Amino acid sequence: MLVDKLNELKEEVKLKVDNANDTATLLEIKNEFLSKKGKMSSFMSELKNVPNEEKPAMGNLINEAKKFITNLIENKQKTLQEKELEEKLQSERIDVTLPGYNYHSGSKHPMNIVVDEIIDIFLPLGYSVVEGPEVETDKFNFEYLNIPLDHPARAMQDTFYITPELLLRTQTSGLQARAMQANTLKTPLKIICPGKVYRRDDDDATHSHQFMQIETLVVGKDVSLANLKQTLDLVAKKMFGEKRSIRLRSSYFPFTEPSVEVDVSCACKNKQTCPICKGTGWIEILGAGMVHPNVLKMSGYDPDVYSGYAIGFGVDRITMLKYGFDDIRQLYNNDLRVISQFVKER
């Protein structure tokens, strides 16, 4: 009879569910008995052969059997899921009493460290960081900086020209003109401009075709050479130590007048044998000067009202002095032994 078959089916399901050890097996059992083509569906097909007066009672029995099987599987599924979760938690358990791992973070390149240190000196003084294109126009790289057509810096052996009007910038000084011309109100300016520059040069211990520069510019009323010297003295002491002093030597740059080369006192104890200062007691670190009136005028500033000064840092040279590099190529040859010296422990 149909009732006996239902009871046998329930016993069969109970046995299989009791023996199921994982949810995957339980899913197979569910499909076997409760899917559209499962064994419970066959009972619904046989219901049409039952006399009409018995159909309601038999339908209830089939529904009860289906509910029984469903509850059986759901309860077992809940038990197995809890078991599997517990096993997973145990297998992934972390022993917090074990010693930790010493992870090393990445490190900055020594030149980037120097750039950040210089910027940190100038930011509290009210300077703003300005960046610009490395592919520069001839006007901003030369013309607006008071560099005439016959100046040696224009020669092809000094500059990487892309077209007669485009070139790889030879100095970050072009950002002076860009900043002044962008300042349409012609108000005072205090900017610092870091970046890479390019020149056709031999690669040796002290020269490279690519290097880093930082340019600073101050434009305002009553800005004097005394202000420039005070700033230079502050920078030297912040970069190399409070006991260092500076020396200014007259020089020439087309975009400044007067112009100076700036030396910092060497830290050597015996200057006669010092390979860095070569017995002079001084190390050249940068160039500076008062902004040329022509540069101010070409960028829209009245030189009778405004004055200013500019400072140009050679980041590579300062890095070599600060960290004891004896060859500029060590800063560019991708030797991880150089970088690893600047890794900080977390």
Side-chain angles (χ1 to χ4, degrees), residues 121 230-247 262-265 285-286 313:
I121 293 171
Q230 184 183 35
T231 302
L232 293 171
D233 186 60
L234 172 67
V235 171
K237 285 179 167 53
K238 290 287 187 180
M239 288 296 299
F240 300 102
E242 289 295 327
K243 295 183 179 180
R244 298 296 187 96
S245 57
I246 61 170
R247 179 179 71 174
V262 183
D263 303 331
V264 65
S265 58
I285 57 170
L286 55 89
F313 297 85

Side-chain angles (χ1 to χ4, degrees), residues 10-24:
K10 289 162 65 175
E11 290 296 325
E12 181 184 0
V13 173
K14 188 175 185 309
L15 181 61
K16 288 189 174 185
V17 169
D18 289 342
N19 292 329
N21 294 318
D22 54 67
T23 54

Side-chain angles (χ1 to χ4, degrees), residues 2 4 34 41 43 146 164 215 221 244 251 259 287 304 334:
L2 198 57
D4 296 332
L34 298 178
S41 297
F43 285 92
N146 198 40
E215 187 85 14
K221 296 179 180 180
R244 298 296 187 96
S251 186
S259 304
D304 293 328
N334 297 325

